[in-house]
Amino acid sequence: MENVSCKRLFVAIDPPGEIRREIGKWLRPLRAAVGRQARVSWVEPERLHLTIKFLGSTEPGRLPALGAALRELAAALPAFELAIRGAGRFPEGERAPRVLWLGVDDPEGRLARLAEALERQLEPLGFAREKRAFSAHLTIGRVRAGTVRPELLRCGETLRFGNPFDVRELLLYESRTLPSGPVYGVLERFALAQ
Ligand code: ATP
Ligand code: MG
């Protein structure tokens, strides 16, 4: 049986405040337009995050080894730049979208390599490898009912939010589900190499 003190964990990168504010401004008319067609749980701008590895339910006894692995990985990784660009949906194509997201511009593949390094380092600690290929995205909303017309998100590669920003740390997050929705709290921060 699952230990009641288990924490639901994930590793993520936070976009900086000015990018969150730009996304928040862009989201307002989209939310209004979608609001007439579907019920969507929107992610408030201050909660936007880029999940790199979902760890799931984790016993507290595993936290020290997890922290050590993340610290070691982060310290060996030079800080790098990312940009938020484009919008899309899962599933793609003509089916009704369930997840609405913003894309990530990672021209040097640094984020993808980081995700792969995390999978490799955490597997021996008992965190199962993700079966699906890593696909970096910033979830902006989850469709709960109704249909979001795909053309509302058809803004392609031209959509940009602010300038590229430096990723300087990895965050270990705890996720709790309250009746009001999910609440994410940072448990620990891991600085990347300078
Ligand atoms: P809720 O599940 O209450 O709608 P949420 O999905 O934001 O909210 P969590 O399910 O705890 O909250 O997820 C935390 C983060 O991990 C989110 O970024 C989510 O997209 C991601 N995530 C959740 N489950 C998985 C999974 N099975 N594989 C990959 N990423 C996941
Ligand atoms: Mg979820």
Side-chain angles (χ1 to χ4, degrees), residues 50-90:
L50 196 62
T51 300
I52 316 167
K53 172 71 182 160
F54 179 72
L55 302 168
S57 180
T58 306
E59 297 105 50
R62 300 168 72 192
L63 285 174
L66 173 64
L70 292 174
R71 197 167 307 110
E72 191 187 320
L73 186 138
L77 194 82
F80 61 99
E81 275 196 344
L82 284 182
I84 305 299
R85 187 177 82 177
R89 57 197 196 268
F90 294 138

Side-chain angles (χ1 to χ4, degrees), residues 80-185:
F80 61 99
E81 275 196 344
L82 284 182
I84 305 299
R85 187 177 82 177
R89 57 197 196 268
F90 294 138
E92 276 158 348
E94 293 312 306
R95 285 163 62 202
R98 307 316 321 163
V99 174
L100 314 180
W101 47 262
L102 298 177
V104 178
D105 198 11
D106 176 26
E108 288 166 34
R110 295 289 309 275
L111 187 62
R113 287 211 298 282
L114 165 58
E116 174 51 31
L118 265 175
E119 296 286 352
R120 211 170 38 234
Q121 296 235 15
L122 298 185
E123 194 179 21
L125 301 183
F127 296 99
R129 260 179 185 266
E130 177 62 58
K131 289 177 196 74
R132 292 175 295 187
F134 177 68
S135 151
H137 64 275
L138 209 55
T139 297
I140 52 174
R142 294 181 176 83
V143 185
R144 304 297 186 197
T147 302
V148 174
R149 277 186 288 117
E151 41 297 7
L152 284 177
L153 287 168
R154 200 164 288 155
C155 33
E157 294 292 284
T158 55
L159 181 68
R160 276 179 178 279
F161 298 94
N163 294 316
F165 58 91
D166 283 329
V167 177
R168 299 180 194 279
E169 59 182 6
L170 302 182
L171 305 173
L172 177 61
Y173 267 105
E174 176 181 10
S175 165
R176 289 182 301 136
T177 307
L178 302 184
S180 52
V183 176
Y184 316 123

